[in-house]
Amino acid sequence: MNKLLISTFILLVGILNAQSKISGKVVDYKNQPIVGANVYLQGTYDGDTTNDEGHFSFTSNKGGIQTLIISFLSFETKKLEVDISKLINLQINLREDVESLDTVVLTAGTFEANDNSKVSVLKPLDVVTTASALGDFLGAIQTLPGTSNVAEDGRLFVRGGNADETQIFIDGIRVFTPYTPTTNNIPTRGRYSPFLFDGITFSTGGYSSEFGQALSSVLLLNTIDEPNQDKTDIGLMTVGASLGNTQKWDKSSLSFNLSYINLAPYLTVFKDRNNWDTPYQGAQGEIVFRQRLSNGMLKFYAAFDTSNFQLTQEDINLENGLNFKLNNNNFYTNTSYKGVLGKNWSIATGLSYTYAKNKVGVEINDIIDTENSAHLKIKLKKRFSSRFKLSIGAEQFITNFDENFKDGSTDINYGFNNNITAGFTEADFIFSKDLALKVGMRVDHSSIFNSTDVAPRVAIAYKTSLNGQFSLAYGRFFQNPNSSILKFEQDLKAEQTAHYILNYQYVNNGKIIRAEAYRKDYNNLVKFDTMFSSFNSNYTSNGDGYAQGIDIFFRDNTSIKNFDYWLSYSYLDTKRNYRNFTRSAQPNFATNHNLSLVGKYWIEHWKSQVGFAYSYASGRPYTNPNTSQFLSEKTKSFNSLSINWAYLLDQQKILYFSVNNVLGFKNINGYQYASTSDMNGQFNRRALRPAADQFFFIGFFWTISEDGSDNQLDNL
């Protein structure tokens, strides 16, 4: 019996002596104790939770090499793989989890409209429910700061840049002809329906080195990755009709959208200032096919549109007015793939092709423009860790442009071919949840100029509080002159800008406040010595200019129940010496002050959403030939108040009303002066008014879906 007790005692002592003690302290990067961190040996139940001082202590009968795991919410999990005898009196520093929602985000010059974004200034729904937008994503973007109101044009004019300086991309691939063609004093629209997009990024400057050939801005449109169900959308409108359908299968889906517009019935009721021979008619179709593969997503996007019209517009120099006709055909296709390659490498690649043909008639002149363009792109991204990512890529732009001009006795052809080869790289450094840095470089080689341009880009963001942060961005940007110049002259240089941006953003409880100051310096702008660019102009790249200002944005969707609104204001100071300017001056598309106020209110017992959008822009410069000054006078300020009402007849049937410029402000876009003076030596003028002071819209939209709950509020 004594021998048995002695043996048991010796065995217990051996077991106790085999146990190892694991102890230490867990702190953050400021050496402050972390309370409640989990500390344990992998594959065992041996562990402890840190106390108020960050200490932990426990024992284990394991031996040899073991893995100690330390984890806590919002910090990166740490693993120590060492001999268990060394796991005593440890000092463990946990690093912040830089992938958490409250990590700093680079925001300088960037507005997000994406449900998956950490910080969305707009949502996809906003793009098409803004009262003044009329279903066009460009109309909603124009309520953001940084844009200038050029009502008779309709395109995006960003921070002192003309509309050609903004480029549009679909799924990362360039769109060469994003706007429907039009004529003077009739605003254009974007070619592409918001029906198929769920994410928009609008960069007013300082954007990634991935994007080039844009002096002022890029607009990135992302098609829906995967629809949630089969559905059909039907629209009947005062200006036409639309039809959309989505079919969803296990790993693939197909969506299409068709629309037809004919303004003849509308103009019969609401006549405008033009004398229409053939009112505007247009048809548009889009299709997206998506295939989910084992390691990525393949998308095929295609869109076509055709339009034609003929009208006579008032002209102070032509007694019978100016006759203009246009027929346009446009086709765009885009194939893209995003996937994972393994070992933390990913790939994004794609190509696009554009065919555009415009037949224009101006009095006795006939002009046929034909453009064939393509874009090929590949980007590889390596994730070394959550704190360091590297991207490299290459792309090719190919453009062939031809123009045939006839005036009865003359038949002339103009055109050009241009290939641009580019490479880019970019590194993301996230030092902590409060500090991030992006550094990039882009190199473009243009065959038409036989020149190479190097464009560095850098952006840094620092979080000053839980809800606020500062961002800084700098970059150089290059862009070839557009086809209206290159078809006549190719002995030029790429135009360039340098961007400097300081941004502050505060986000808290449904409220967003953004304030941004910027400076842009222009060089190598095209100049010519005739009234308009033509074959007999003398061209140089000696133009320059600057743009600077402040943009402010505020949005609040929580202070008032069911009411969401945003306010944006921009101050712009800009001058240029380019084109046929005789001196440096503020261009006639730039406005010093722009203000937008947008509101949306949901009325539950009416089953309705009502909204308004007010726009203000200060006067725009124009030249009065009765004085010796150049671009020295300004039009009166622009004002417009638009309202809309979406009424749910039932969950899937919507009746929609909208009125643009409901108060009927008599806006003036500029003045046209007579080419010769009268007997008193004065040049007479006429005001350039919008074709119509107001626009009325009524539509019925019906969704047929599997769950019976979807509707088209996100398409209005």
Side-chain angles (χ1 to χ4, degrees):
M1 186 68 176
N2 289 337
K3 289 182 179 180
L4 179 60
L5 289 173
I6 292 171
S7 299
T8 302
F9 177 76
I10 293 172
L11 180 61
L12 289 172
V13 170
I15 293 174
L16 291 173
N17 286 338
Q19 285 187 328
S20 299
K21 183 178 180 181
I22 296 95
S23 64
K25 184 178 182 180
V26 180
V27 298
D28 61 17
Y29 69 102
K30 294 180 180 179
N31 286 322
Q32 296 298 310
I34 297 177
V35 182
N38 293 316
V39 186
Y40 62 94
L41 290 179
Q42 188 174 37
T44 75
Y45 293 102
D46 302 333
D48 191 16
T49 301
T50 56
N51 61 20
D52 292 345
E53 296 179 348
H55 291 291
F56 66 90
S57 179
F58 63 94
T59 58
S60 175
N61 58 10
K62 294 288 185 178
I65 303 295
Q66 298 294 326
T67 301
L68 183 70
I69 296 178
I70 308 96
S71 65
F72 189 64
L73 186 67
S74 77
F75 287 85
E76 293 180 359
T77 298
K78 191 167 188 175
K79 295 182 179 181
L80 297 176
E81 189 172 353
V82 296
D83 190 282
I84 197 169
S85 63
K86 298 181 179 179
L87 298 177
I88 189 168
N89 296 327
L90 300 171
Q91 178 81 5
I92 298 171
N93 294 79
L94 290 188
R95 292 168 36 150
E96 294 174 297
D97 181 5
V98 295
E99 295 184 329
S100 60
L101 289 176
D102 59 344
T103 299
V104 67
V105 181
L106 291 162
T107 57
T110 301
F111 294 90
E112 294 275 0
N114 191 327
D115 287 333
N116 298 318
S117 173
K118 287 184 179 180
V119 180
S120 284
V121 169
L122 298 181
K123 299 183 183 302
L125 181 65
D126 298 323
V127 175
V128 282
T129 56
T130 299
S132 59
L134 290 175
D136 186 6
F137 59 82
L138 296 174
I141 295 298
Q142 286 167 355
T143 68
L144 294 178
T147 61
S148 289
N149 188 309
V150 187
E152 76 278 17
D153 188 287
R155 296 177 296 170
L156 286 174
F157 292 77
V158 180
R159 289 185 171 175
N162 66 40
D164 294 323
E165 296 176 17
T166 295
Q167 301 298 344
I168 297 178
F169 297 78
I170 293 179
D171 292 329
I173 308 300
R174 167 87 175 273
V175 180
F176 289 89
T177 54
Y179 304 102
T180 57
T182 185
T183 187
N184 294 334
N185 222 31
I186 298 179
T188 184
R189 289 173 60 87
R191 292 186 186 275
Y192 308 107
S193 164
F195 179 80
L196 300 174
F197 301 104
D198 71 344
I200 292 178
T201 300
F202 176 48
S203 292
T204 54
Y207 33 90
S208 165
S209 61
E210 178 182 348
F211 303 104
Q213 292 302 302
L215 285 184
S216 291
S217 172
V218 295
L219 180 62
L220 313 177
L221 306 175
N222 297 314
T223 56
I224 296 170
D225 277 343
E226 192 166 357
N228 54 16
Q229 62 177 320
D230 294 350
K231 67 175 182 177
T232 298
D233 293 315
I234 301 170
L236 300 174
M237 302 161 284
T238 49
V239 294
S242 65
L243 174 67
N245 181 264
T246 293
Q247 296 293 317
K248 175 178 167 53
W249 301 285
D250 182 31
K251 292 186 177 181
S252 62
S253 61
L254 179 68
S255 299
F256 75 83
N257 187 55
L258 300 172
S259 64
Y260 172 71
I261 302 296
N262 188 333
L263 291 184
Y266 179 89
L267 291 170
T268 300
V269 180
F270 302 103
K271 296 185 182 299
D272 64 20
R273 295 184 174 91
N274 296 313
N275 181 12
W276 292 88
D277 299 306
T278 303
Y280 177 90
Q281 299 177 59
Q284 180 186 49
E286 296 170 278
I287 187 170
V288 179
F289 175 75
R290 316 165 190 87
Q291 178 69 53
R292 187 170 295 280
L293 305 175
S294 58
N295 292 315
M297 172 72 76
L298 177 68
K299 293 182 184 179
F300 173 79
Y301 175 90
F304 81 90
D305 67 270
T306 181
S307 60
N308 71 282
F309 63 86
Q310 183 172 352
L311 78 169
T312 300
Q313 293 183 306
E314 182 183 356
D315 191 293
I316 197 170
N317 296 306
L318 298 173
E319 181 179 354
N320 297 320
L322 180 71
N323 186 263
F324 181 93
K325 59 183 177 181
L326 182 143
N327 179 271
N328 166 255
N329 291 287
N330 190 89
F331 175 74
Y332 173 79
T333 183
N334 167 326
T335 299
S336 62
Y337 173 77
K338 291 184 179 180
V340 177
L341 299 177
K343 295 185 179 180
N344 291 324
W345 281 96
S346 62
I347 184 173
T349 186
L351 59 91
S352 73
Y353 167 71
T354 297
Y355 170 81
K357 188 168 187 176
N358 291 326
K359 296 180 179 179
V360 178
V362 183
E363 293 295 308
I364 64 170
N365 301 319
D366 290 315
I367 305 167
I368 299 177
D369 289 340
T370 305
E371 179 175 337
N372 288 271
S373 299
H375 180 204
L376 297 85
K377 178 179 178 180
I378 183 170
K379 182 178 78 168
L380 299 173
K381 188 172 184 177
K382 169 72 171 179
R383 176 190 168 97
F384 291 91
S385 71
S386 61
R387 295 171 179 266
F388 176 53
K389 302 166 190 175
L390 180 67
S391 299
I392 55 174
E395 58 187 343
Q396 184 83 22
F397 299 96
I398 303 168
T399 300
N400 174 269
F401 182 88
D402 289 303
E403 179 174 285
N404 177 255
F405 177 85
K406 297 179 181 179
D407 65 357
S409 60
T410 304
D411 190 337
I412 306 175
N413 287 294
Y414 304 102
F416 66 92
N417 292 297
N418 186 31
N419 294 328
I420 299 174
T421 305
F424 57 88
T425 184
E426 198 162 66
D428 290 277
F429 302 90
I430 303 178
F431 301 105
S432 70
K433 291 169 65 175
D434 296 335
L435 183 63
L437 173 69
K438 184 189 291 286
V439 180
M441 181 72 73
R442 181 180 179 88
V443 179
D444 288 71
H445 178 79
S446 173
S447 65
I448 200 169
F449 302 146
N450 192 26
S451 63
T452 300
D453 301 306
V454 179
R457 317 268 173 93
V458 61
I460 188 169
Y462 177 69
K463 197 163 187 176
T464 56
S465 65
L466 179 63
N467 305 110
Q469 68 168 56
F470 282 96
S471 294
L472 283 167
Y474 162 79
R476 296 192 69 82
F477 304 87
F478 293 86
Q479 182 177 353
N480 283 7
N482 62 28
S483 58
S484 67
I485 301 295
L486 290 180
K487 68 184 179 183
F488 297 127
E489 179 64 60
Q490 293 89 46
D491 186 16
L492 296 167
K493 298 179 181 178
E495 299 177 313
Q496 63 173 296
T497 56
H499 295 192
Y500 308 85
I501 302 172
L502 171 63
N503 166 280
Y504 176 75
Q505 179 166 285
Y506 179 87
V507 181
N508 186 27
N509 191 30
K511 298 181 182 67
I512 299 175
I513 302 173
R514 284 174 57 103
E516 194 160 282
Y518 64 90
R519 166 83 183 193
K520 293 166 62 178
D521 291 315
Y522 286 87
N523 284 294
N524 296 347
L525 299 183
V526 173
K527 286 186 65 67
F528 49 83
D529 57 358
T530 52
M531 183 173 293
F532 304 103
S533 61
S534 66
F535 70 94
N536 60 352
S537 304
N538 294 309
Y539 295 90
T540 70
S541 292
N542 297 332
D544 57 22
Y546 74 88
Q548 58 190 11
I550 298 174
D551 294 338
I552 298 173
F553 179 86
F554 173 72
R555 181 167 187 170
D556 179 8
N557 57 23
T558 57
S559 296
I560 303 174
K561 184 179 179 182
N562 295 332
F563 184 57
D564 182 11
Y565 69 96
W566 68 82
L567 172 71
S568 67
Y569 167 76
S570 296
Y571 169 72
L572 170 66
D573 169 30
T574 182
K575 287 186 178 180
R576 289 188 176 200
N577 186 358
Y578 83 136
R579 297 181 65 83
N580 63 344
F581 280 29
T582 57
R583 62 174 180 83
S584 183
Q586 180 178 330
N588 63 358
F589 58 76
T591 51
N592 295 121
H593 303 277
N594 283 275
L595 175 72
S596 292
L597 177 61
V598 179
K600 302 173 186 183
Y601 184 65
W602 174 255
I603 306 173
E604 185 65 40
H605 62 280
W606 285 5
K607 297 186 297 183
S608 300
Q609 183 191 78
V610 295
F612 70 88
Y614 171 70
S615 298
Y616 165 85
S618 57
R620 288 160 48 192
Y622 67 92
T623 298
N624 182 349
N626 295 306
T627 71
S628 60
Q629 302 299 311
F630 178 68
L631 287 172
S632 61
E633 299 189 18
K634 292 188 177 181
T635 64
K636 69 176 186 178
S637 298
F638 174 93
N639 289 273
S640 179
L641 175 65
S642 301
I643 60 172
N644 63 352
W645 177 24
Y647 173 64
L648 274 70
L649 299 171
D650 62 34
Q651 180 62 33
Q652 294 197 302
K653 298 183 181 71
I654 298 172
L655 195 60
Y656 184 83
F657 305 85
S658 73
V659 183
N660 276 32
N661 193 21
V662 65
L663 299 180
F665 290 105
K666 307 300 182 184
N667 292 308
I668 295 176
N669 299 322
Y671 294 95
Q672 181 194 27
Y673 282 85
S675 56
T676 58
S677 60
D678 61 17
M679 63 177 58
N680 297 318
Q682 293 294 300
F683 292 88
N684 295 321
R685 74 180 187 183
R686 72 177 185 93
L688 298 174
R689 298 278 305 281
D693 290 323
Q694 296 174 309
F695 187 82
F696 301 88
F697 178 88
I698 302 174
F700 169 72
F701 301 92
W702 182 18
T703 298
I704 305 169
S705 65
E706 287 182 319
D707 64 8
S709 63
D710 272 15
N711 60 50
Q712 291 193 66
L713 267 179
D714 59 344
N715 297 320
L716 299 180

